[in-house]
Amino acid sequence: MSRSAVPASVRRDWGEDDEGCGILHVDMDAFFASVEVARRPDLRGLPVIVGGDGRSVVLAATYEARAFGVHAAMPMARARRLCPQAVVVPPDRSAYTQTSARVMAVLGDVTAIVEQVSVDEAFLDVSGARRRLGSPTRIAAGIRARVRAELDLACSVGVASTKSVAKLASGMAKPDGLLLVPRGATVELLHSLPVEALWGVGESTRERLARWGILSVAELARTDVAQLQRIVGQALGRHLHDLAWGRDPRPVVPVRQEKSVGAETTFDTDTTDLAFLEARLLELADTCARQLRRRGLQARTVSLKVRTADWQTLTRSRTLGAPTDVAHEIFLAARELLAGVDLAGRAVRLIGVRADQLSSAQVRQPTLDEAVDGPGRRGAEQAMDEVRRRFGPGALGPGTSIGGEVTSSTTAPRRADLS
Ligand SMILES: [Mg+2]
């Protein structure tokens, strides 16, 4: 969300009651630029821009530089024109990574339930820490004081009952602030915002909604869900309607504890039937993807495990172009890996799929394809999660998710050349 999405009138005190507001969103202010200022005190108070030469973009800018209209992701040439007196500092990624680790260590002292979202941002669930450390607001103030004292850096903290509102609140608290959104004020706050303030509404979604005259969160909240789903797709329509009413059950997921998800299956009879193996891969990919979605995670790497009848175990893995929680994408990678395995005619006894390099799944902006064709496979698979949740796990098989390209085979394996 851009700061401009929140009108100044909304940046006010929303109350003191932090009961049930166990979620904190901590966001470093102008992170890279602030790290530079912290180690070069002569820069304090000056417009500072972190960025490279030539055709690169602004990576970070101090608030002094932002006052001239400079912001992150702006072309450097334009930033220099807007603010010729700015001190331009080349990026030092290792310094930012080290400082990030120190910030996350401070957060880790508060609770183990820390979900790092990016180099300078994290969610914490402090609902279990009240006895030990005090109320959520007090914990948030303590974090800000410690980061300031130990790292000479400012962070802003949002305190709320849900992740999306905590994130909204930290953005509204900037710079160097703390904002509590009491549970009872959540809907009023949300309904005072333009629609693009919602976490998950990017430019294309905003435009679609605007075409239907839905400009504010209040208007979105009053729109019939089915109508919203026609405008932005099944899953996103439901999700945004929930967010507009302050409903966001997503938990804070301590990402580092989970390194991978996976599933494997051993056959009753060893097989060389490629179509049969691919059908099993599809089921396994579907299991992996559902585990990922249930935990709010996405995987960057897909691995295939094949054990042959003579007990040789082969593993192959592939890094995807982008993290995913979509069964179809995991399946395609696994199928490609299987095609690359030379089984030399041996039958297969076990096959497995694993997804690793996990990160927390943000509410994704639709891809270009989705913007053109609707929510696509991810939306379809999320819709099926919902069907399974309501009607039980047997309600749908993975074959359905693939649109008939491959369907689970219950017939006896046929012979096929696997080499
Ligand atoms: Mg930040």
Side-chain angles (χ1 to χ4, degrees), residues 162-185:
T162 68
K163 280 171 96 171
S164 53
V165 177
K167 184 167 169 72
L168 203 54
S170 70
M172 290 165 61
K174 281 182 175 298
D176 200 7
L178 189 166
L179 182 67
L180 161 70
V181 180
R183 192 192 271 274

Side-chain angles (χ1 to χ4, degrees), residues 27-28 120 174:
D27 193 355
M28 303 302 294
D120 76 327
K174 281 182 175 298

Side-chain angles (χ1 to χ4, degrees), residues 307-330:
R307 183 167 294 148
T308 53
D310 57 353
W311 275 85
Q312 259 220 312
T313 304
L314 309 162
T315 55
R316 299 283 184 276
S317 62
R318 234 201 89 175
T319 300
L320 305 172
T324 189
D325 57 8
V326 176
H328 184 69
E329 290 171 13
I330 295 170

Side-chain angles (χ1 to χ4, degrees), residues 25-32 63 66 118-121 154 156 174:
H25 182 253
V26 178
D27 193 355
M28 303 302 294
D29 294 343
F31 183 51
F32 299 167
Y63 284 88
R66 293 182 194 195
S118 72
V119 69
D120 76 327
E121 240 181 286
S156 296
K174 281 182 175 298

Side-chain angles (χ1 to χ4, degrees), residues 98-183:
Q98 282 169 28
T99 308
S100 171
R102 292 179 64 195
V103 172
M104 296 304 153
V106 169
L107 304 184
D109 283 348
V110 173
T111 172
I113 311 173
V114 178
E115 178 179 337
Q116 185 174 350
V117 182
S118 72
V119 69
D120 76 327
E121 240 181 286
F123 287 102
L124 285 74
D125 184 340
V126 299
S127 46
R130 187 179 280 267
R131 272 213 157 143
R132 191 164 48 87
L133 298 168
S135 75
T137 314
R138 198 171 149 176
I139 293 172
I143 288 170
R144 282 174 30 75
R146 243 191 98 181
V147 170
R148 168 66 73 193
E150 293 178 21
L151 299 165
D152 197 17
L153 293 173
C155 61
S156 296
V157 185
V159 182
S161 54
T162 68
K163 280 171 96 171
S164 53
V165 177
K167 184 167 169 72
L168 203 54
S170 70
M172 290 165 61
K174 281 182 175 298
D176 200 7
L178 189 166
L179 182 67
L180 161 70
V181 180
R183 192 192 271 274

Side-chain angles (χ1 to χ4, degrees), residues 18-297:
D18 65 1
E19 190 63 44
C21 291
I23 299 185
L24 270 47
H25 182 253
V26 178
D27 193 355
M28 303 302 294
D29 294 343
F31 183 51
F32 299 167
S34 302
V35 171
E36 298 299 343
V37 173
R39 62 178 173 179
R40 281 183 56 187
D42 56 304
L43 296 179
R44 196 170 293 280
L46 298 179
V48 176
I49 297 173
V50 176
D53 314 317
R55 291 155 59 81
S56 64
V57 297
V58 173
L59 294 173
T62 58
Y63 284 88
E64 290 83 357
R66 293 182 194 195
F68 291 86
V70 175
H71 58 77
M74 172 183 281
M76 279 300 287
R78 180 162 157 69
R80 284 173 194 271
R81 274 200 304 279
L82 286 171
C83 187
Q85 66 273 51
V87 180
V88 176
V89 182
D92 178 353
R93 288 178 193 280
S94 72
Y96 311 147
T97 306
Q98 282 169 28
T99 308
S100 171
R102 292 179 64 195
V103 172
M104 296 304 153
V106 169
L107 304 184
D109 283 348
V110 173
T111 172
I113 311 173
V114 178
E115 178 179 337
Q116 185 174 350
V117 182
S118 72
V119 69
D120 76 327
E121 240 181 286
F123 287 102
L124 285 74
D125 184 340
V126 299
S127 46
R130 187 179 280 267
R131 272 213 157 143
R132 191 164 48 87
L133 298 168
S135 75
T137 314
R138 198 171 149 176
I139 293 172
I143 288 170
R144 282 174 30 75
R146 243 191 98 181
V147 170
R148 168 66 73 193
E150 293 178 21
L151 299 165
D152 197 17
L153 293 173
C155 61
S156 296
V157 185
V159 182
S161 54
T162 68
K163 280 171 96 171
S164 53
V165 177
K167 184 167 169 72
L168 203 54
S170 70
M172 290 165 61
K174 281 182 175 298
D176 200 7
L178 189 166
L179 182 67
L180 161 70
V181 180
R183 192 192 271 274
T186 301
V187 170
E188 189 195 343
L189 166 83
L190 287 167
H191 289 196
S192 65
L193 297 172
V195 82
E196 62 268 30
L198 280 187
W199 190 22
V201 176
E203 191 49 29
S204 71
T205 305
R206 191 195 63 76
E207 278 172 16
R208 278 181 180 212
L209 293 167
R211 262 179 255 143
W212 291 84
I214 302 166
L215 302 176
S216 69
V217 176
E219 284 161 346
L220 191 149
R222 284 193 299 266
T223 305
D224 183 55
V225 182
Q227 169 70 359
L228 270 181
Q229 290 177 319
R230 278 192 290 276
I231 300 171
V232 298
Q234 286 282 335
L236 190 59
R238 162 66 65 189
H239 179 68
L240 293 181
H241 191 261
D242 282 343
L243 289 188
W245 287 103
R247 294 189 293 260
D248 179 8
R250 287 172 294 181
V252 177
V253 180
V255 175
R256 269 177 229 153
Q257 289 181 3
E258 306 213 46
K259 291 209 158 55
S260 70
V261 302
E264 56 184 51
T265 180
T266 303
F267 307 129
D268 295 339
T269 317
D270 300 342
T271 181
T272 54
D273 183 340
L274 186 57
F276 175 81
L277 290 174
E278 287 189 351
R280 299 291 82 75
L281 276 188
L282 177 58
E283 291 168 358
L284 296 169
D286 186 60
T287 304
C288 286
R290 272 190 281 152
Q291 287 180 42
L292 290 169
R293 290 195 296 269
R294 200 179 314 129
R295 292 166 205 193
L297 298 172

